[in-house]
Amino acid sequence: MEKERIEELERKISSLEEDVARLKSLVYKTNSPRPKTVYAPPKQREETIKRPAQTAAKSSQAIEEPVDWEKVLFQTWLPRIFIFVFIIGVLWGFKAASDYGLMNEKAKVVLGFVVSIGFAVTGHFQIKKGRLVLGQVLVGGAIPILMLTTFAMHSLYRLAGPTLAFILNASWIILGIIATVFYRSQALGMISAVGGVLVPFLIESNSPNALVFIGYETLLYIAFLYVAIKQKYSILYVLSAVLLNLTLLIYYSFVGDNGAKELLGMAILIQHLCLISSFFLSQSVLQVYAFTLLSSLAVTYGWLLAVFDDGTTTMVLLALVIIYALGVYAVRSSKEKFEFFITYLIVAVAFFIHQLVDLREGVILYVIQGLAVYYIAMTYKNLLHQLFSYTIYILSATYILVTPIEQVLSLPTLNWVVVLASILVFIWISIQKTEQDEHDTFKVGGSIVFSILSLIFATEVTAAGTNHLSANPQTLIMTAVWLGLSIAAFVIGSLKTFKTATYIGVGILFLTLFKLVLYDLPFIPMAIRALLFIVLGAIGLIISRLFYKKK
């Protein structure tokens, strides 16, 4: 029946092919002879149907054109390199003309403006003729020439005061922004951004104003950030953020604590809020936005520690935690944004914990945070969050484990209990969030780790609780505790039909035996030694008998 259906389908396909051939002959009438339609047998047609993907792949490879290195080197990079060479030559030419008395100061200033205008006009016509890179480089070169000319007019020749020089330089930056948008050139934006942050350093003033400087740099950053977002310039997006931090850092290193710390902190917070907003409002998830924001969060925390007191830093971090928590809720429908905002929230909470409590007292909070991050990472299958969770959890747990227990009722003891409980939670999360065939791995591996740490914990607590006793009672109590752990593990394995616990119990039993033979014998009197071996042997025989009963 199936064979007949296939044959019927093949007949219909053949009939359709004949109809298509007739239609082609009616529509396309040419003098050239047309190739005859070749009707392949069914098997051959089936093989032909399977081939299109391979044919498309080969054709796409054939379409790929080799890199035109001549265009890359001579049309793209050559003008970019030699525009700087040309500008340096112009500066040296002005210097030489001044040294030989061929040109006075006013003439040099006028010539500088003329050269920059000539660059801009020439670049514009080069762009109109299709020589985009060359034209953009020429227009971009006009900006630094204008700024250097203004600097010379103000600082070197005293032909203009600080106010006029600042207004002129600000005008050149605005022209650079307009040219960036008009010519759609990221290179122009980058040149203008670098020049813009240098403007205050090129202006000499007898009474520098911190508010004017920091306000100017912050507004300049917002302007270039807007251009970068609007035009989707990723390099300008990152560069503008880096330049603001670098500029404020240089200012802070030279000025120090002169009442401008709060202004610096406000500028950094404004930048961070702008980055949050740009990432939150972006239609698509851009990796450069996401990782710039993550880097900014760490840098912002460093600035907060440097410029604010502890109370203000704590309040600002709490505000950031709330903002990121609201962001997590707001972007819950977008999987990628949700995962990134979860990451930011995790980092912000870590900074908040570090600021709020001392590490020795608050390390438990890091363990809990590591578990929470691990649960989120396993729920959303996010590798980055897993790495965060492992880092936070392992570092905090290691700090707890290497801290000695000196008293039974103490903070280190509580920390140990939390770590042991967290391991059980860690195993439970792993079992709940992984495939069935991975469950045994987590059960066995986690149980072994838990048992080893429990043995170490019991040993430390027992040693801390018996340090006032002599050697013999200490040894006896320690052996009794080890035996108790062995029996508890075996009972858990028997009741829960969890073989791993049973094997761990037997392993602890053998460790207790080795401890007695290799370490405890010289410290124990003969009578107690006999009693311990009788008890240990009896427990081993009982366990063996229970194994037979289970079988």
Side-chain angles (χ1 to χ4, degrees), residues 192-300:
S192 302
V194 174
V197 300
L198 293 177
V199 165
F201 298 100
L202 301 177
I203 307 298
E204 291 185 4
S205 177
N206 295 325
S207 56
N209 191 310
L211 178 60
V212 172
F213 176 86
I214 297 172
Y216 165 80
E217 295 290 351
T218 306
L219 291 174
L220 185 73
Y221 165 73
I222 294 174
F224 280 104
L225 176 69
Y226 178 78
V227 173
I229 295 172
K230 201 70 176 177
Q231 302 296 323
K232 297 182 179 178
Y233 293 153
S234 57
I235 299 177
L236 182 61
Y237 184 91
V238 177
L239 180 65
S240 58
V242 173
L243 287 175
L244 177 63
N245 282 275
L246 186 60
T247 305
L248 297 182
L249 182 62
I250 293 173
Y251 179 83
Y252 180 67
S253 62
F254 279 103
V255 176
D257 187 8
N258 66 339
K261 280 188 172 183
E262 290 76 11
L263 292 175
L264 292 169
M266 290 299 297
I268 295 300
L269 287 176
I270 289 172
Q271 181 196 50
H272 192 67
L273 292 175
C274 288
L275 291 174
I276 294 175
S277 302
S278 62
F279 181 61
F280 178 78
L281 296 174
S282 61
Q283 298 298 322
S284 59
V285 178
L286 301 178
Q287 298 293 323
V288 67
Y289 287 14
F291 288 106
T292 301
L293 180 55
L294 182 60
S295 303
S296 174
L297 181 56
V299 173
T300 300

Side-chain angles (χ1 to χ4, degrees), residues 348-509:
V349 169
F351 290 152
F352 180 69
I353 293 172
H354 180 267
Q355 184 67 24
L356 192 63
V357 295
D358 185 78
L359 180 62
R360 290 171 294 181
E361 299 173 356
V363 69
I364 297 177
L365 298 177
Y366 285 109
V367 173
I368 297 172
Q369 185 191 31
L371 272 181
V373 177
Y374 182 69
Y375 179 82
I376 295 170
M378 296 301 288
T379 301
Y380 294 97
K381 308 298 180 184
N382 188 290
L383 180 59
L384 180 63
H385 292 168
Q386 288 188 42
L387 294 177
F388 267 117
S389 67
Y390 296 151
T391 303
I392 296 171
Y393 183 83
I394 292 173
L395 289 178
S396 55
T398 303
Y399 179 85
I400 290 174
L401 298 181
V402 299
T403 303
I405 298 176
E406 297 178 353
Q407 296 180 356
V408 176
L409 299 177
S410 61
L411 183 61
T413 304
L414 176 62
N415 291 343
W416 263 91
V417 172
V418 172
V419 169
L420 292 175
S422 69
I423 293 173
L424 298 178
V425 177
F426 202 94
I427 297 170
W428 177 82
I429 293 173
S430 302
I431 293 174
Q432 295 295 318
K433 302 296 181 180
T434 54
E435 301 295 334
Q436 186 67 34
D437 56 353
E438 297 178 313
H439 290 182
D440 290 340
T441 302
F442 286 109
K443 284 182 181 178
V444 174
S447 299
I448 292 173
V449 172
F450 179 81
S451 302
I452 294 173
L453 293 180
S454 297
L455 194 61
I456 296 173
F457 172 65
T459 302
E460 288 200 28
V461 171
T462 304
T466 60
N467 58 2
H468 61 285
L469 301 176
S470 59
N472 287 345
Q474 279 187 337
T475 304
L476 290 174
I477 294 174
M478 188 71 71
T479 303
V481 170
W482 283 34
L483 283 173
L485 286 176
S486 173
I487 294 172
F490 186 80
V491 170
I492 292 173
S494 300
L495 296 178
K496 299 292 184 180
T497 63
F498 183 35
K499 290 185 179 180
T500 304
T502 304
Y503 298 148
I504 289 171
V506 174
I508 296 175
L509 188 66

Side-chain angles (χ1 to χ4, degrees), residues 269 272 297-298 300-302 304-305 308-325 344-345 347-356:
L269 287 176
H272 192 67
L297 181 56
T300 300
Y301 181 53
L304 293 176
L305 293 176
F308 288 141
D309 56 63
D310 289 341
T312 305
T313 301
T314 303
M315 294 303 297
V316 172
L317 287 174
L318 177 60
L320 289 177
V321 169
I322 295 173
I323 289 172
Y324 281 119
Y344 306 143
L345 179 61
V347 176
V349 169
F351 290 152
F352 180 69
I353 293 172
H354 180 267
Q355 184 67 24
L356 192 63

